[in-house]
Amino acid sequence: MYALVDCNNFYASCERVFQPPLNGKPIVVLSNNDGCVIARSSEAKALGIPMGAAAFKYASYFKNNGVYVFSSNYPLYADLSNRVMRILSSYCPTMEIYSIDEAFLDLRGFNRYNLNAYGRSIKQQVFQYTKIPVCIGIGPSKALAKVANHIAKKFPEHHQGVYILESDEQITKALKWLPINEVWGIGRKLSKRLAQIGIHKAYDFIQLADAYILRNFSVVELRLKKELLGQSILSLEEVTTKKSIATTRTFETDVLDYEYVKERISTFAVKCAEKLRAQDSQCGMITVFIQTNRFDKINPPYNRSLSRQLSMDSNSNMIINKAAIAVFNELYKANYAYKKAGVMVSGITSTQQKQLNLFELDHLKHGPLMDVIDGLNKRYGSETMKLGSQAMDRTWKMRQEHLSPSYTTQFDQILQLW
């Protein structure tokens, strides 16, 4: 058996943890630079606010309907997610963190446990320690655990947030109820294709012959069918290093200043290097892109990217920054107002597989230096130590007009009680 633990309306729930009066109130959370809605509470969904709604178009609607608006507070969300995951790991030796607010637990070997009571214990402890509400679905496969979780979330008054799909009768009933577009792994395009051949429910999908699925779709859909039939095909995935890492930003205004954009590229390159070191990896290639405002109907557009292979794999601030600036200088064109830029590193390998270069021994000095820089930044705050190409007095700040405090990650923003 597998359990899927899913935090309810996670971003909105995080905002409510330190502001209890918001319980029961409609909440929306906006994307970077307060662009569009990326998360909604149940109350906001009931008001008909769509996912992806442009914030400026709905500003008056939010105000007229008493909707509380928040900018994305990723440090807060990440910290609360880590706390939830640590609690879950204490209940099960094998788990897969599926996303920031979801995790699969492998319950094989828990045959003597009352899984319903076990699920309620998990739910109660997560809420007690973090005040984040969760729903738990349990089933013989990951796909059926997803279905069970959907039912637990859809009918909380009947199941108190925990539901188990166990018998053939339960599974059949659930699949006859579940719309095909709600099935895990079936997106919008695929659900439209299935609808064209009369597949509207999950139960209709499992009636398709294996040969038909392979001929008209792929082995991925065949695996999903077997999962919905209760066969455990998809095992829990271990956390692996990323294949690429990117740092990109949209500027608040269109920027003509070469030095400003160059400094941003330098900072983005350093951020990528820091992320590489955080996962004990290094990169062999760097890509830089710059682009103008795609909504500008007056000035000509300019959107270009360029990649460069490093002479040897590295995670050094200096080496990655030097390569990024060189690529940027090839890309840059004067008299264009740039709106977005970014740096991506790829060809990622483990630092344990480092290939040395006989003619560049100076690189050996970079490792200890990076350790010192990381240690100082961790102790005294991010960006305490910078490269000379980075602005000493500038830190990147998105447009976040509705940002809540980082209650758990910043000492100066800790909640004060009187």
Side-chain angles (χ1 to χ4, degrees), residues 4-184:
L4 175 65
V5 184
D6 185 11
C7 301
N8 300 344
N9 305 314
F10 182 60
Y11 288 0
S13 294
C14 289
E15 299 294 349
R16 285 170 168 162
V17 168
F18 296 95
Q19 301 184 64
L22 295 181
N23 288 325
K25 306 290 185 181
I27 294 173
V28 296
V29 179
L30 305 180
S31 62
N32 290 344
N33 291 314
D34 292 346
C36 61
V37 174
I38 59 170
R40 305 161 294 166
S41 67
S42 299
E43 297 79 8
K45 295 174 184 177
L47 288 174
I49 300 171
M51 184 67 81
F56 75 94
K57 289 184 178 180
Y58 277 79
S60 58
Y61 186 84
F62 294 156
K63 183 177 180 180
N64 295 336
N65 288 274
V67 178
Y68 290 83
V69 181
F70 290 93
S71 302
S72 295
N73 190 339
Y74 295 121
L76 176 65
Y77 306 155
D79 184 65
L80 288 176
S81 172
N82 289 335
R83 296 181 186 212
V84 171
M85 299 307 167
R86 283 199 297 270
I87 294 170
L88 297 182
S89 66
S90 69
Y91 276 88
C92 184
T94 308
M95 66 178 287
E96 173 193 341
I97 300 177
Y98 185 66
S99 67
I100 192 172
D101 62 345
E102 291 179 281
F104 284 103
L105 307 182
D106 188 344
L107 299 181
R108 288 176 294 181
F110 285 65
N111 301 336
R112 297 186 179 183
Y113 282 74
N114 181 327
L115 293 183
N116 193 286
Y118 200 65
R120 292 178 190 277
S121 175
I122 295 173
K123 176 181 170 66
Q124 186 274 331
Q125 189 169 48
V126 169
F127 187 78
Q128 180 183 351
Y129 288 3
T130 67
K131 291 298 182 285
I132 299 293
V134 302
C135 282
I136 302 174
I138 301 174
S141 67
K142 290 173 72 176
L144 286 177
K146 269 278 191 181
V147 175
N149 184 275
H150 191 77
I151 295 172
K153 189 171 289 187
K154 191 75 172 179
F155 307 103
E157 65 283 358
H158 291 97
H159 308 296
Q160 286 74 52
V162 179
Y163 186 69
I164 303 176
L165 278 177
E166 200 164 16
S167 68
D168 292 341
E169 183 181 356
Q170 284 178 306
I171 293 173
T172 299
K173 183 179 179 181
L175 297 182
K176 286 183 176 180
W177 165 80
L178 187 67
I180 191 63
N181 63 315
E182 298 287 349
V183 175
W184 181 43

Side-chain angles (χ1 to χ4, degrees), residues 164 194 299 399:
I164 303 176
L194 290 169
N299 299 306
R399 183 186 298 122

Side-chain angles (χ1 to χ4, degrees), residues 341-366:
V343 174
M344 182 177 74
V345 293
S346 54
I348 294 177
T349 58
S350 169
T351 52
Q352 304 303 316
Q353 304 170 6
K354 191 172 184 65
Q355 180 66 48
L356 300 180
N357 188 320
L358 180 63
F359 303 103
E360 298 188 46
L361 296 179
D362 284 345
H363 287 201
L364 297 175
K365 303 176 182 178
H366 289 200

Side-chain angles (χ1 to χ4, degrees), residues 232-245:
S232 181
I233 304 296
L234 306 174
S235 59
L236 298 192
E237 299 178 3
E238 296 182 357
V239 177
T240 57
T241 57
K242 296 180 180 179
K243 295 181 179 179
S244 64
I245 292 174

